[in-house]
Amino acid sequence: MSLTRRGVVTLAASALLLAGCGSSGSEEPAAGGSAAAQEKVTVEWWHIQNIEPMAPVWDAMAKEYMAAHPNVTIKVTPLENEAFKAKMTTVAQSGESPDIYQTWGGGVLQQQADAGIAKDITADIASWADTITPAAAAAYKLGGKTYGVPYDIGMVGFWYNKALFEKAGITAPPATWGEFIEDVKKLKAAGITPLSLAGKAKWPGHYYWAYLAMRVAGLDALKQAAATKSFENPDFVTAGQKLKELADLKPFQNGFLGANYDTPDGQAATMGNGKAAMELMGQWAPTVQKDTSKDLGDDLGFFPFPMVEGGKGSATDAFGGGGGFAVGADAPPAAVDFLKFILSPENHRKEIGTGAILPVIKGTEDAVSNPRGKMVAETLAAATDFQLYLDQAYPPAVGQQVNDSVAELIAGTKSPEEVVKAITETAQSE
């Protein structure tokens, strides 16, 4: 089976994450029939782990599964993040989807489910759904139904170069926004670029506005904005003003507006090469730094986004998400069975062992040996609440408008007031 065809629908890139685990290679067919054990089928699998360490791990698991299931061919298509989004948009506009595809949950998955492109797999995974941690599974349950499984969970925070902090006379990570701004000034005074940013990619920039909105207005305000389709909250304007305060200091590397994230001259490489002191990024940051440049080793530290003085949000509220896989509406039973296979405790431990994945399966937490992963896992464990990436939590057009408007704010071409107005107008047009 290649791509499933359903009714024509226009969707933006991406998808969901959810709940998963199970057998590690049995011949047992997935729930819903014996097709996985009888008919010759091809499962189209699109994922975004197109570099080490996960690319070879996924390939090896696909080969292992096929060896145990001679009737099944897993056709693997690894894609870079933005390339995946573009390709997914194209096929979705034709009412198609791969049998298994990358997803982050939220508004995009909801639209895919409503359009009949993503499959309700609640019954298919019933026998192993409870092996998934609730936090990892929650974002992928829509209206009481499950549309995907997670393979990773994590959060966004500041990765920093301890040696560069020391050179600038900074003795501890900042706990407040005021301290953070002062540290940026200290780094600049020491001739050090404070922050690395992929301005061209846009999505990394939205992390700043999202976190500031969380810290200033609180998570309930973001949820209310999504429900009322109005972001013209004075606290969101204040969040934009805080970001403008940062951008006015010119804290980013030269040429950041044209920089991608994971290219040899992009955000991750700038950080890994020691040419910037910090980057605001998810739990995968050390892996991408190493893959695109160098490993900072013990010089790499992590701290959560600072609290904002006088803000309504909690300093322990986390922002992020993970990675997961949705199932195409017409995918064969082997697709779900394969997800059960790769999310067995045994295989999930292999994934965690790469240092690029944090646990989503109960009882595998001890497999986190990487000190960087432990830093994120410990911070996440202490989180009081959690917000999914805004460009995934909201409908695709709204999420894209957040990315676009924040990028313009950082570039100095849109005001904080214009940002919330643009997002509101897009939300109300949906």
Side-chain angles (χ1 to χ4, degrees):
M1 195 161 182
S2 55
L3 294 173
T4 58
R5 177 167 290 279
R6 309 292 287 182
V8 175
V9 61
T10 299
L11 293 173
S14 345
L16 137 80
L17 91 66
L18 250 165
C21 168
S23 73
S24 60
S26 71
E27 293 288 345
E28 174 188 351
S34 58
Q38 297 175 355
E39 300 176 5
K40 286 189 175 296
V41 295
T42 296
V43 175
E44 291 273 357
W45 180 25
W46 292 7
H47 67 71
I48 63 167
Q49 278 69 45
N50 63 318
I51 59 175
E52 292 187 350
M54 283 305 299
V57 172
W58 287 145
D59 283 347
M61 289 186 184
K63 290 175 182 176
E64 184 179 353
Y65 184 87
M66 288 188 288
H69 302 79
N71 59 302
V72 179
T73 297
I74 308 291
K75 185 177 179 182
V76 186
T77 303
L79 297 160
E80 182 273 334
N81 185 68
E82 295 304 312
F84 163 76
K85 291 179 178 181
K87 189 168 184 176
M88 189 67 197
T89 299
T90 300
V91 299
Q93 287 173 343
S94 299
E96 299 178 335
S97 72
D99 298 309
I100 302 172
Y101 59 92
Q102 173 71 32
T103 180
W104 295 271
V108 176
L109 183 66
Q110 182 68 65
Q111 287 197 351
Q112 292 173 336
D114 291 345
I117 287 176
K119 182 181 182 181
D120 171 8
I121 59 171
T122 309
D124 299 305
I125 67 168
S127 66
W128 50 279
D130 63 355
T131 64
I132 302 159
T133 59
Y140 313 101
K141 293 180 179 177
L142 308 174
K145 298 178 180 179
T146 296
Y147 287 88
V149 293
Y151 61 81
D152 186 27
I153 185 69
M155 64 175 286
V156 172
F158 279 105
W159 295 92
Y160 74 105
N161 188 317
K162 296 177 184 178
L164 295 182
F165 265 44
E166 183 177 352
K167 183 179 177 181
I170 302 170
T171 57
T176 68
W177 183 253
E179 292 174 2
F180 177 77
I181 292 296
E182 287 305 308
D183 287 346
V184 167
K185 293 177 180 178
K186 288 179 182 178
L187 288 161
K188 285 185 68 72
I192 300 167
T193 297
L195 296 159
S196 179
L197 180 65
K200 183 178 181 180
K202 296 184 180 180
W203 56 268
H206 110 275
Y207 292 169
Y208 287 88
W209 189 88
Y211 251 130
L212 284 166
M214 287 171 57
R215 297 292 190 256
V216 175
L219 281 180
D220 286 344
L222 284 170
K223 294 174 183 176
Q224 182 179 13
T228 63
K229 297 187 176 183
S230 175
F231 290 79
E232 295 187 277
N233 180 328
D235 286 340
F236 293 157
V237 175
T238 299
Q241 291 169 341
K242 297 287 185 184
L243 180 51
K244 184 177 185 301
E245 173 189 18
L246 174 64
D248 286 348
L249 295 175
K250 300 188 184 305
F252 307 114
Q253 80 275 22
N254 290 335
F256 79 93
L257 288 174
N260 283 308
Y261 171 59
D262 57 359
T263 53
D265 59 350
Q267 174 176 329
T270 299
M271 184 68 190
N273 284 324
K275 295 181 178 179
M278 295 178 279
E279 69 165 327
L280 183 61
M281 191 47 61
Q283 68 278 6
W284 57 84
T287 299
V288 184
Q289 289 171 18
K290 180 180 179 181
D291 187 75
T292 58
S293 55
K294 300 175 183 177
D295 188 339
L296 290 173
D298 293 339
D299 278 339
L300 187 64
F302 178 83
F303 65 90
F305 197 93
M307 65 169 286
V308 174
E309 298 88 338
K312 299 170 185 174
S314 171
T316 52
D317 286 347
F319 172 76
F325 295 119
V327 177
D330 293 333
V336 177
D337 195 55
F338 178 63
L339 292 180
K340 180 182 180 182
F341 171 74
I342 66 174
L343 288 170
S344 68
E346 177 185 356
N347 281 332
H348 195 48
R349 285 176 177 278
K350 294 176 185 177
E351 295 149 18
I352 296 168
T354 66
I357 298 294
L358 290 179
V360 298
I361 302 302
K362 296 174 184 177
T364 61
E365 294 83 3
D366 60 323
V368 182
S369 59
N370 184 297
R372 282 104 173 243
K374 285 184 179 293
M375 286 189 284
V376 177
E378 289 169 1
T379 304
L380 191 54
T384 49
D385 209 337
F386 195 85
Q387 172 63 51
L388 181 65
Y389 311 115
L390 298 189
D391 58 353
Q392 297 300 326
Y394 300 148
V398 179
Q400 187 60 53
Q401 187 62 62
V402 171
N403 287 350
D404 291 345
S405 291
V406 172
E408 291 175 290
L409 174 63
I410 292 172
T413 60
K414 184 167 281 189
S415 71
E417 292 81 5
E418 289 171 333
V419 168
V420 298
K421 182 181 180 181
I423 298 171
T424 297
E425 289 176 349
T426 300
Q428 293 179 349
S429 68
E430 283 288 287

